[in-house]
């Protein structure tokens, strides 16, 4: 598949240093956040019964809980079951059309969960990154990739 060589020791050292710094920074942030939440009486107003079958309570101030229980409740079964069931069905029925079926399923899953405007946003990101990759400029691909990651939080609708 190509020539495989080891990275230079200086580059590996730089990667290890950056990774260690990122882990230390994240760990420090987690420690500060956990010490700030030591007084749990302040959070009792926002904690309500949630997933009883897990024996846990739901924090209604948490964006993810609210999102899963409001926006995605109706389409989550379709989206999650499709990853396994639809893929196996496509492989058994028409393996030569598998990529097209995956594309149709992916489009339907994104439209069903996020809506058509978010699908257009994702397709725009894909096209911009594809054009940047055709230009062959690594720095442009990196910059546009980071910009697209930052814009995923944007509400297109």
């Amino acid at each position: 598949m190509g020539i495989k060589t080891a990275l230079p020791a200086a580059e590996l050292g730089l990667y290890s240093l950056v990774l260690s710094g990122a882990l230390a920074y994240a760990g420090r942030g987690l420690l500060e956040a956990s010490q700030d939440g030591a007084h749990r009486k302040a959070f009792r107003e926002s904690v309500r019964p949630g997933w009883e079958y897990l024996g846990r309570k739901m924090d209604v101030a948490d964006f993810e809980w609210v999102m899963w229980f409001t926006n995605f409740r109706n389409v989550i079964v379709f989206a999650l079951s499709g990853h396994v069931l639809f893929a196996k069905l496509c492989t058994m029925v028409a393996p030569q059309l598998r990529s097209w079926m995956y594309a149709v399923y992916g489009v339907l899953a994104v439209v069903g969960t996020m809506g058509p405007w978010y699908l257009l946003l994702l397709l725009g990101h894909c096209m911009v990154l594809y054009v940047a990759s055709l230009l062959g400029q690594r720095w442009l691909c990196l910059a546009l990739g980071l910009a697209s990651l930052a814009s995923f939080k944007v509400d297109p609708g």
Side-chain angles (χ1 to χ4, degrees), residues 128-149:
V128 165
L129 289 171
Y130 179 69
V131 169
S133 70
L134 290 177
L135 295 174
Q137 300 293 325
R138 292 181 184 175
W139 65 270
L140 184 61
C141 291
L142 177 66
L144 290 175
L146 291 174
S148 70
L149 283 175

Side-chain angles (χ1 to χ4, degrees), residues 62-82:
D62 186 9
F63 169 73
E64 272 191 74
W65 280 95
V66 174
M67 177 186 67
W68 287 111
F69 276 93
T70 56
N71 298 346
F72 297 149
R73 173 175 259 159
N74 298 331
V75 293
I76 196 66
V77 173
F78 165 73
L80 292 178
S81 64

Side-chain angles (χ1 to χ4, degrees), residues 16-40:
S16 298
L17 181 68
V18 169
L19 178 65
S20 300
L23 289 174
Y25 179 74
R28 182 174 157 253
L30 285 171
L31 182 64
E32 287 176 4
S34 66
Q35 288 174 348
D36 289 343
H39 306 290
R40 297 192 181 258

